[in-house]
Amino acid sequence: ETGVTQTPRHLVMGMTNKKSLKCEQHLGHNAMYWYKQSAKKPLELMFVYNFKEQTENNSVPSRFSPECPNSSHLFLHLHTLQPEDSALYLCASSQERGSGGLLETQYFGPGTRLLVL
Amino acid sequence: AQTVTQSQPEMSVQEAETVTLSCTYDTSENNYYLFWYKQPPSRQMILVIRQEAYKQQNATENRFSVNFQKAAKSFSLKISDSQLGDTAMYFCAFMKHRSGAQKLVFGQGTRLTINP
């Protein structure tokens, strides 16, 4: 257990469905991340939230919509996905300490395996 | 842009042997962090070891150690006395040394199998 939980662990959805992935961290961190892991590709960063503010959107299609209501929770809302969006979606969190150069290690959740039919 | 390259897609060794996984990276940054993460079949990404680029001393964590060559931009992972539980995908990752939340840039991964 890394202190980061994700639900659901598995999700199958049709292209017209709307679903949400949830991530919760119990580490007291203030930064949260969504990564996508597709077969035979390196992990790709999707979104970064720092103190609940989105600080990076890595050119992600609008059919993925993140939400960070507080520092402990992160959602990824999905709608009208495509089959190529099938992947493992990983959430991570870290403690961003601001300038000063302290090492911020990212801790990952177990992931949600998504299959889009 | 930073890139991370793991040139060994798969490796296989016998239990108790020592194995070294390679990683090279490309960056113009002088200060940064490097990580090795392990992803077993459960898919949970677990931190194995980390290194700050400004530290010359190689990081060690029990059976895991790194060989960090900053000039060569090389960051290899050595696993000593390998165990069956070390079987996993291993990812090398790079992060800039900046204020604010920073993204990890991952390599393609090396699939390591420890055989009994």
Side-chain angles (χ1 to χ4, degrees):
Chain A
E1 284 293 330
T2 61
V4 182
T5 59
Q6 290 186 242
T7 54
R9 295 294 305 276
H10 302 272
L11 179 63
V12 180
M13 59 186 290
M15 290 190 285
T16 58
N17 293 159
K18 289 185 180 181
K19 296 287 184 182
S20 295
L21 309 185
K22 178 182 176 182
C23 175
E24 183 174 0
Q25 58 94 2
H26 310 274
L27 301 169
H29 289 167
N30 55 23
M32 298 187 78
Y33 311 77
W34 279 118
Y35 287 87
K36 176 183 178 182
Q37 186 177 25
S38 305
K40 300 180 181 179
K41 290 178 69 176
L43 278 86
E44 304 170 77
L45 179 73
M46 300 175 72
F47 300 104
V48 180
Y49 276 83
N50 197 186
F51 292 101
K52 301 187 298 179
E53 299 295 323
Q54 187 180 131
T55 58
E56 184 150 352
N57 175 339
N58 204 30
S59 302
V60 180
S62 59
R63 57 185 183 270
F64 294 91
S65 175
E67 179 190 0
C68 188
N70 54 61
S71 295
S72 299
H73 294 86
L74 183 66
F75 296 89
L76 188 62
H77 304 299
L78 316 172
H79 62 98
T80 60
L81 294 192
Q82 305 298 311
E84 60 264 29
D85 296 322
S86 298
L88 181 70
Y89 289 85
L90 291 166
C91 173
S93 71
S94 68
Q95 180 60 35
E96 162 49 35
R97 304 178 197 273
S99 61
L102 293 177
L103 179 60
E104 294 102 10
T105 298
Q106 293 181 22
Y107 294 89
F108 286 80
T112 295
R113 182 165 293 285
L114 173 66
L115 177 61
V116 182
L117 301 176
Chain B
Q2 287 74 31
T3 59
V4 178
T5 302
Q6 294 178 249
S7 58
Q8 304 150 313
E10 294 188 28
M11 295 188 72
S12 178
V13 299
Q14 297 298 118
E15 193 176 6
E17 289 183 347
T18 295
V19 60
T20 299
L21 308 183
S22 301
C23 173
T24 58
Y25 57 94
D26 187 24
T27 183
S28 58
E29 303 281 331
N30 188 48
N31 292 324
Y32 47 87
Y33 306 116
L34 295 163
F35 304 83
W36 278 99
Y37 280 89
K38 165 186 175 181
Q39 189 178 41
S42 67
R43 301 304 248 171
Q44 176 78 61
M45 193 75 74
I46 302 166
L47 176 70
V48 175
I49 199 166
R50 62 191 179 197
Q51 174 85 40
E52 291 110 299
Y54 64 87
K55 288 187 177 179
Q56 292 189 345
Q57 186 173 7
N58 289 325
T60 62
E61 287 287 342
N62 301 312
R63 297 182 296 108
F64 299 88
S65 61
V66 298
N67 183 4
F68 173 50
Q69 301 290 326
K70 190 172 184 180
K73 297 181 182 175
S74 170
F75 184 61
S76 61
L77 174 69
K78 185 172 82 171
I79 306 174
S80 303
D81 186 27
S82 57
Q83 300 175 359
L84 297 179
D86 295 332
T87 293
M89 282 289 290
Y90 285 80
F91 293 96
C92 178
F94 171 99
M95 185 170 76
K96 292 180 188 177
H97 179 289
R98 297 272 174 84
S99 61
Q102 294 297 320
K103 69 176 182 180
L104 283 166
V105 178
F106 286 87
Q108 306 94 314
T110 295
R111 183 176 302 280
L112 175 65
T113 302
I114 309 299
N115 298 308

